[in-house]
Amino acid sequence: MPDRDALPPALAAILAGGTLAGLPRLDVRIARPELDAWRGGNVMPGVWSFAADAPGPHVAVVAATHGNEIGGAVVLDRWLRAGLRPARGRLSLVMANLDALGRFDAEDPTASRFIDEDLNRVWDEETLSGGRRSCELRRARALRPLLDTVDLLLDLHSMLWPSDPLMLAGRSARAARLARQVGLPPLVVADEGHAAGQRLIDHAPFADPDGTRTALLLEAGPHWEAATVAMIEVAAARLLRLAGTVAEDDGMLAPPPAAPPAPARLARVTRTVTARTPGFAFLRPFRGGHVVPQRNTLIALDGEDEIRTPHDDCLLVMPSLRAMPGQTAVRLARFVDD
């Protein structure tokens, strides 16, 4: 264990019960859309689904799985107001945690992540079919019949801690291939999920290695920023065009890039670090996307345990600078060749 007198001041402050310097400012630079027009849905509350005459896949775009991540809801609101409809197949636009989204308050913007529990940690069969009750489980069970008919799903998220945008593909090789083809953002991360519970992209129909249904999770950038909304819109539009759901020249979406983006780079998680103690702390406030050149570099302390990089050129995926026990603190990943 390093001598704590020699640690950086920010880390020493945390280990002494203080707070980390350099926390992100919680400035809300976008407004939550008015939900009254969309709250009722045409399938169920918060869910709008439209079918084309021409056959094609059922594509779902899901926003506000976390109620404080309002960027995706801004994009769905724009599309619904514009009258977006599929040219082929079916398009479903889902405001997932409608109750939490309705409680969003720019004066306390982190408070509405969920009502009772994280909606993105309940998608395993035992939890969905078990006897536990919560606002989020009630919503997941209501959404499940629709989502189980979806061929391609994009779950829209944003980030509290500073990080470059990325696409999460979970364990599915076909999801990683599709995310690379989308090319936006230019980084795809294949991972095993969280110890605290299964995400929507880990739901069995999407994670089945022998299946065909595919789900991606977009982490588009910082919460409450216009640039994050722009990333959501351009990446989602790219996916809808690739799926053939909308025409290439559909003017209701963000315009396609002048040239198709290059395939995104793929990184595979080699270790998911789950905080074990309240004293988990990084040696410095790492940004997501930071690459540590040398293996065995000390990056964090968890009580008496040292967290070190397991290999050279170790990518830090979405480090959480205030991880509580049981929460994912960081994922460590290795870039993989084509």
Side-chain angles (χ1 to χ4, degrees):
M1 182 78 175
D3 179 0
R4 295 196 177 185
D5 291 336
L7 293 176
L11 179 59
I14 277 190
L15 295 177
T19 58
L20 180 64
L23 294 179
R25 287 180 56 86
L26 302 184
D27 294 330
V28 178
R29 296 187 173 91
I30 58 175
R32 192 204 72 184
E34 286 298 323
L35 300 176
D36 290 348
W38 318 123
R39 190 178 296 278
N42 66 352
V43 173
M44 69 180 76
V47 179
W48 293 81
S49 191
F50 308 101
D53 292 334
H58 182 184
V59 178
V61 181
V62 179
T65 297
H66 296 131
N68 66 317
E69 298 178 18
I70 63 174
V74 171
V75 172
L76 265 55
D77 173 63
R78 287 179 186 172
W79 289 354
L80 287 164
R81 291 185 186 279
L84 180 66
R85 298 293 186 269
R88 295 176 57 240
R90 177 174 288 276
L91 174 63
S92 295
L93 305 177
V94 180
M95 306 279 193
N97 199 336
L98 195 60
D99 289 342
L101 178 63
R103 295 188 184 187
F104 179 78
D105 180 357
E107 296 300 317
D108 190 8
T110 62
S112 60
R113 181 175 170 87
F114 52 78
I115 304 296
D116 296 323
E117 63 177 314
D118 192 330
L119 180 57
N120 214 28
R121 299 292 184 272
V122 300
W123 291 95
D124 61 283
E125 184 60 39
E126 182 178 358
T127 299
L128 289 170
S129 300
R132 199 166 87 226
R133 297 288 182 267
S134 71
C135 177
E136 278 72 24
L137 268 171
R138 185 165 57 251
R139 182 62 167 168
R141 289 162 182 155
L143 290 172
R144 182 180 183 180
L146 172 79
L147 298 181
D148 282 352
T149 70
V150 167
D151 299 298
L152 174 58
L153 181 141
L154 178 62
D155 192 12
L156 305 175
H157 289 258
S158 54
M159 312 177 194
L160 175 62
W161 302 105
S163 178
D164 298 336
L166 56 92
M167 193 79 85
L168 289 169
R171 298 184 295 273
S172 169
R174 63 184 176 275
R177 288 192 296 270
L178 176 61
R180 295 198 67 209
Q181 187 180 4
V182 173
L184 299 167
L187 174 63
V188 176
V189 174
D191 72 334
E192 296 292 323
H194 299 278
Q198 286 190 186
R199 304 164 297 189
L200 179 54
I201 64 168
D202 305 318
H203 183 40
F206 303 123
D208 181 357
D210 298 321
T212 59
R213 296 175 181 173
T214 305
L216 299 172
L217 190 161
L218 173 62
E219 292 283 5
H223 297 330
W224 319 309
E225 296 284 348
T228 299
V229 175
M231 172 57 75
I232 289 172
E233 192 156 20
V234 70
R238 167 82 172 154
L239 183 64
L240 292 181
R241 291 187 172 108
L242 281 174
T245 303
V246 299
E248 190 69 24
D249 60 353
D250 192 313
M252 296 184 190
L253 299 176
R265 197 173 188 192
L266 177 64
R268 192 171 303 281
V269 170
T270 55
R271 181 184 176 191
T272 297
V273 179
T274 302
R276 186 179 57 82
T277 72
F280 186 99
F282 289 95
L283 266 65
R284 63 185 178 90
F286 289 106
R287 177 184 177 87
H290 180 84
V291 176
V292 179
Q294 293 185 318
R295 69 175 297 274
N296 206 37
T297 298
L298 180 66
I299 60 170
L301 298 171
D302 192 1
E304 298 297 316
D305 295 337
E306 299 181 354
I307 309 300
R308 294 180 176 270
T309 53
H311 44 74
D312 291 343
D313 297 324
C314 184
L315 174 70
L316 306 188
V317 179
M318 296 178 63
S320 176
L321 303 184
R322 271 187 180 169
M324 297 295 103
Q327 294 180 344
T328 298
V330 67
R331 283 158 279 192
L332 309 178
R334 186 199 303 270
F335 291 105
V336 296
D337 294 332
D338 292 343

